[in-house]
Amino acid sequence: MAYTIAVLGGDGIGPEVTAEAVKALSAVKPTLQFSDALVGGAAYDETGNPLPDDTLALCKKSDAIIFGAVGGPRYDHIQPPSLRPETGALLRLRQELNLFANVRPAITWKPLLHASPLKGDRGRVDLVVVRELTGGIYFGKPSERRDNGTTAVDTCIYSKAEIERIAKVALKVARTRKHEIVSVDKANVLETSRLWRETIDEIAAANQDVKFSHLLIDNCAMQLVRDPAQFDVILTENMFGDILSDEASMITGSLGLLPSASLGGDSDEPEFGLYEPVHGSAPDIAGQGRANPIAAILSAAMLLRYSLKDDKAAERIELAVEHVLEAGLRTADIFEKNSKLVTTKELGDAVAFKLMSP
Ligand code: NAD
């Protein structure tokens, strides 16, 4: 089947790193078809809209999206704020495409173990955070006013259906890994967390091939630093996931290495997804060939795994990245003594070369 992938490079280093992700995808699957479209500040400059109708239409008819990053100081003061790249493009895309599940792996690569802020082997992680992305306190009704400027209210709302559908995504991820899920909540305090826990218990009872356990958010945050290797799949709600996925990702050492998938679409068992590096548009290094393309390349591997159901091709990309790191190639952000400093393109070329070698 000929799949079509929408490529939304965006701003700053976005187009530089997505070019390397496309290169890796083409090397591993030459039949893929790519269509580029404008997004973010680049789209605003050209059309006055950070998410032009053509771009949205292309995303809707594609099988998956490769996304770079949007935003930058030039666009921080656009009025109204709904036209700023992060809100007007990325958040709108998540809403328009119903991308309700955020999947963020955090892996320490053996050749980069020293980059973890945790000492030696304690920094070894290979886990995935599955975060609910379109519900909870970030989407509850915010307070319309602050009484005397001294009180404010945000509401956290979750429905059973929202919890069930994100749990199904976590089950899918767990079944490609160790069949273990730690569900994180604050059930000793919050009613939404009690509903979360009851719902997860029902799902666990119906899916006994996967081992579920519960952990309170405060304990989980502490355990992630104490012994991150104990985790495989962490399943949690929107705000807890926001915090835990950043905590987990920092253990790996560099922002330039972290991929992500936002899954959703029309089905509760999503195959459609937007794949993007965790980092932003890094205006400080844009256009200099200094961006690390690994996060974008690993996002392309996730696209193969989750949207195109091609685990083998995904693994080939991951192994090629590991090979290049083992060979000592490094972009500036992960450079160390005795390694070889390369540009964004040179690192992407090395990954593609490995993929095309017999
Ligand atoms: P950032 O992630 O762009 O950069 C933070 C630091 O990490 C910078 O020093 C940057 O040079 C470095 N860095 C990031 N990615 C790197 C890579 N691949 N290789 C090497 N170094 C890398 O975060 P920021 O500076 O807070 O934000 C810059 C802009 O990006 C802002 O406008 C922000 O709103 C936007 N942003 C967009 C997204 C997105 O599109 N998903 C996400 C985060 C931030």
Side-chain angles (χ1 to χ4, degrees):
M1 181 169 164
Y3 292 106
T4 306
I5 312 296
V7 181
L8 277 51
D11 304 319
I13 63 170
E16 300 170 45
V17 296
T18 48
E20 304 312 318
V22 168
K23 207 183 276 172
L25 281 172
S26 304
V28 86
K29 245 180 154 44
T31 54
L32 290 179
Q33 289 174 1
F34 298 96
S35 296
D36 289 291
L38 282 171
V39 76
Y44 179 83
D45 286 342
E46 199 136 313
T47 68
N49 180 355
L51 183 64
D53 292 348
D54 290 355
T55 301
L56 184 58
L58 174 74
C59 291
K60 285 186 172 167
K61 68 174 195 217
S62 298
D63 296 294
I65 303 163
I66 283 277
F67 191 91
V70 290
R74 276 183 57 209
Y75 307 108
D76 283 350
H77 305 290
I78 291 176
Q79 290 297 340
S82 59
L83 287 180
R84 289 180 198 161
E86 294 85 340
T87 321
L90 193 54
L91 292 190
R92 208 180 134 220
L93 264 176
R94 285 181 186 156
Q95 276 165 351
E96 291 273 354
L97 303 172
N98 190 27
L99 302 174
F100 65 85
N102 189 232
V103 180
R104 264 213 213 179
I107 298 173
T108 26
W109 299 85
K110 233 191 314 166
L112 299 177
L113 193 54
H114 66 275
S116 168
L118 300 185
K119 285 206 183 84
D121 251 16
R122 268 190 58 225
R124 195 178 287 284
V125 291
D126 181 355
L127 61 84
V128 179
V129 178
V130 178
R131 165 190 168 195
E132 202 290 325
L133 200 58
T134 51
I137 199 158
Y138 294 169
F139 287 85
K141 193 168 175 279
S143 90
E144 277 158 20
R145 65 192 164 91
R146 293 191 195 175
D147 293 337
N148 306 321
T150 57
T151 310
V153 180
D154 293 288
T155 43
C156 183
I157 303 175
Y158 265 111
S159 70
K160 200 167 169 173
E162 284 173 312
I163 301 166
E164 283 169 350
R165 71 177 183 176
I166 190 69
K168 280 186 197 160
V169 174
L171 273 170
K172 266 197 176 173
V173 174
R175 286 184 175 126
T176 66
R177 298 173 57 95
K178 291 188 186 159
H179 288 63
E180 284 177 19
I181 295 176
V182 175
S183 170
V184 175
D185 60 38
K186 188 72 181 170
N188 54 343
V189 177
L190 301 174
E191 197 55 35
T192 42
S193 279
R194 285 190 274 274
L195 177 68
W196 183 279
R197 203 173 269 222
E198 282 164 30
T199 309
I200 297 298
D201 280 341
E202 286 171 22
I203 295 210
N207 294 277
Q208 298 208 356
D209 62 313
V210 174
K211 186 176 152 239
F212 278 83
S213 55
H214 298 287
L215 208 55
L216 295 173
I217 172 66
D218 39 348
N219 191 6
C220 184
M222 184 264 280
Q223 294 293 340
L224 258 178
V225 176
R226 192 185 70 81
D227 176 21
Q230 69 184 287
F231 294 103
D232 193 57
V233 174
I234 294 175
L235 162 64
T236 192
E237 57 98 90
N238 203 345
M239 182 169 69
F240 299 157
D242 193 4
I243 297 164
L244 288 180
S245 57
D246 268 22
E247 185 187 350
S249 65
M250 264 325 290
I251 296 170
T252 69
S254 171
L255 209 50
L257 300 168
L258 299 158
S260 78
S262 299
L263 307 174
D266 299 333
S267 156
D268 270 6
E269 296 196 21
E271 293 185 355
F272 184 76
L274 178 148
Y275 299 85
E276 59 172 331
V278 164
H279 61 73
S281 61
D284 53 334
I285 57 167
Q288 302 168 32
R290 287 173 60 201
N292 187 338
I294 290 180
I297 294 172
L298 294 174
S299 302
M302 293 186 81
L303 181 154
L304 291 165
R305 179 167 290 123
Y306 293 115
S307 285
L308 306 194
K309 310 283 166 226
D310 192 341
D311 283 351
K312 265 204 189 128
E315 269 164 35
R316 283 189 59 211
I317 290 187
E318 288 156 357
L319 285 173
V321 167
E322 188 160 24
H323 170 89
V324 164
L325 290 174
E326 261 164 12
L329 270 59
R330 301 279 188 276
T331 42
D333 57 314
I334 51 173
F335 182 72
E336 62 200 310
K337 225 169 92 189
N338 299 328
S339 63
K340 182 169 187 272
L341 183 64
V342 292
T343 63
T344 310
K345 181 173 177 304
E346 285 166 342
L347 200 138
D349 284 346
V351 171
F353 181 76
K354 176 67 187 164
L355 288 167
M356 287 187 288
S357 312

